[in-house]
Amino acid sequence: TGKDKFCFYSTSIRENTMKNAHMVNQIRYAIDNNEFLLYYQPQINLSTGEIDGVEALIRWLHPKKGFVPPMDFIPFAEETGYIYNIERWVLQKAFKQRNLWADKYNKDIKMSVNLSGKSVMQPEAVEVISEIVKKRPSALKYFSLEITETAVMANLKNAVENLEKIKELGIEIALDDFGTGYSSLTYLKKLPIEVLKIDKSFTDFVSNKKGDEIIVESVITLAQNLGLDIVVEGIETKEQLGFFKSRGCNIGQGYLFSKPLPPSEIEELLLANKIFSLS
Ligand code: C2E
Ligand code: MG
Ligand code: MG
Ligand code: MG
């Protein structure tokens, strides 16, 4: 590398770099060619079985590879800054979709959107979001942004500042995947969140027969004592549903109710006034 420095070279470095560069090109192409879609997973009110809202989950329909899972491209998009373009599109699309459904089915369903830590932290975040939601201020309270603890930990002060401003707009902030990061519990007090999403790994504690329910119960109690609403992720069994329902968790989401669905299938549920069984 010149001067007195040297570094080792390995073919895997080159292969990785090439793979990444290829991925980056494909993401750029995908943005320009509308290869991204949104699917929506119903969030169920655990007292009534009604659809309380939906979570928008991005899908990349690659012309050759088919569906590429978000976890395979979101990290690249974050590294390269394309995440800003992608998420601006997601926010616009999801907000419009919510309003369309609210009008068409006369139901004020809630729309939750995942936001990467990078997006939350960027100085223009609040401006970008308010530009999108100002078209319909009355819908703000039915809009929720999901952020993860690991995402905000990198720059807590900055994140809190932006999140406070977003909350002031009237948008709800939910802490996603709670329990998977390494943050301390004091973050819960510092972040302006109103909802805590219990990660699927905790949901799985219920029924693994290892007596781990006590941990889950403590998390539920903690959230309740902090006055937070609870959304339980990844409910797959009736046993899990019963456990969380009986402990007063508000909302549940998971394959037991429904997988993430294309918009047409969400419309069918809304049209049918679908009530999910809670027993
Ligand atoms: P997440 O926000 O925690 O979303 C929940 C994930 O769990 C989704 O995976 C969903 O399909 C899956 N899931 C829901 N219920 C069940 C269940 O009962 N069992 C199992 N095994 N899985 C369930 P998906 O759609 O692959 O998304 C993965 C992650 O990608 C999301 O995790 C979120 O962090 C991220 N993501 C998705 N869309 C976006 C987006 O628009 N922007 C950003 N920044 N991230 C996104
Ligand atoms: Mg989420
Ligand atoms: Mg989650
Ligand atoms: Mg998750």
Side-chain angles (χ1 to χ4, degrees):
T1 57
K3 297 270 169 90
D4 289 333
K5 295 190 191 117
F6 69 94
C7 80
F8 291 106
Y9 178 82
S10 94
T11 45
S12 75
I13 293 178
R14 180 160 170 275
E15 275 163 18
N16 269 332
T17 314
M18 279 179 44
K19 216 173 125 199
N20 293 2
H22 189 54
M23 177 61 108
V24 169
N25 278 331
Q26 294 200 330
I27 291 176
R28 190 185 309 148
Y29 185 87
I31 295 172
D32 293 339
N33 290 277
N34 304 316
E35 290 176 8
F36 291 114
L37 317 164
L38 290 184
Y39 269 37
Y40 301 90
Q41 187 176 33
Q43 299 184 320
I44 311 305
N45 180 320
L46 293 185
S47 317
T48 65
E50 287 169 298
I51 298 180
D52 182 77
V54 295
E55 175 178 4
L57 293 157
I58 196 165
R59 296 291 177 261
W60 179 6
L61 188 51
H62 189 282
K64 289 208 191 82
K65 292 187 249 180
F67 280 106
V68 184
M71 278 313 153
D72 288 357
F73 65 91
I74 294 282
F76 285 100
E78 285 179 335
E79 260 171 54
T80 51
Y82 284 116
I83 193 74
Y84 303 132
N85 305 50
I86 295 177
E87 283 185 343
R88 186 189 296 244
W89 175 82
V90 172
L91 285 163
Q92 272 166 348
K93 181 98 182 163
F95 192 65
K96 258 198 208 156
Q97 182 67 83
R98 191 225 82 97
N99 295 337
L100 213 115
W101 282 336
D103 293 340
K104 197 165 166 191
Y105 301 100
N106 196 23
K107 276 198 194 101
D108 266 321
I109 64 161
K110 192 152 126 186
M111 177 65 74
S112 296
V113 173
N114 294 283
L115 212 53
S116 113
K118 224 180 153 180
S119 299
V120 175
M121 242 82 87
Q122 67 158 332
E124 304 83 39
V126 185
E127 211 177 304
V128 169
I129 294 167
S130 66
E131 190 60 35
I132 291 169
V133 297
K134 76 173 184 207
K135 288 172 192 130
R136 184 148 162 184
S138 63
L140 281 171
K141 59 175 181 286
Y142 301 104
F143 207 48
S144 181
L145 296 180
E146 299 189 1
I147 51 148
T148 62
E149 43 185 337
T150 20
V152 295
M153 247 167 46
N155 191 341
L156 188 66
K157 191 170 161 285
N158 202 330
V160 170
E161 254 175 45
N162 275 355
L163 290 174
E164 296 276 9
K165 287 185 201 147
I166 293 169
K167 191 183 170 193
E168 274 165 32
L169 291 174
I171 296 172
E172 176 189 270
I173 315 275
L175 191 60
D176 203 354
D177 300 343
F178 180 73
T180 55
Y182 297 93
S183 66
S184 90
L185 293 175
T186 55
Y187 280 82
L188 282 180
K189 283 286 290 179
K190 291 205 180 101
L191 294 169
I193 52 169
E194 289 167 81
V195 176
L196 196 136
K197 292 194 78 175
I198 296 187
D199 190 68
K200 182 176 186 310
S201 54
F202 282 95
T203 309
D204 291 340
F205 276 175
V206 177
S207 62
N208 69 3
K209 311 266 184 285
K210 286 191 190 148
D212 290 335
E213 285 98 339
I214 186 93
I215 297 176
V216 187
E217 272 177 342
S218 309
V219 172
I220 295 171
T221 309
L222 176 72
Q224 286 167 340
N225 287 343
L226 287 167
L228 303 172
D229 278 342
I230 299 176
V231 178
V232 185
E233 278 191 341
I235 299 182
E236 292 180 345
T237 68
K238 288 191 169 166
E239 187 188 3
Q240 291 167 343
L241 169 62
F243 178 92
F244 290 104
K245 187 173 160 346
S246 70
R247 281 157 184 84
C249 296
N250 317 74
I251 308 286
Q253 195 181 345
Y255 293 172
L256 177 66
F257 299 119
S258 168
K259 288 191 170 175
L261 301 171
S264 59
E265 290 182 43
I266 294 290
E267 298 215 357
E268 283 172 26
L269 296 176
L270 293 174
L271 184 67
N273 268 314
K274 173 80 180 174
I275 308 281
F276 287 87
S277 162
L278 298 175
S279 56

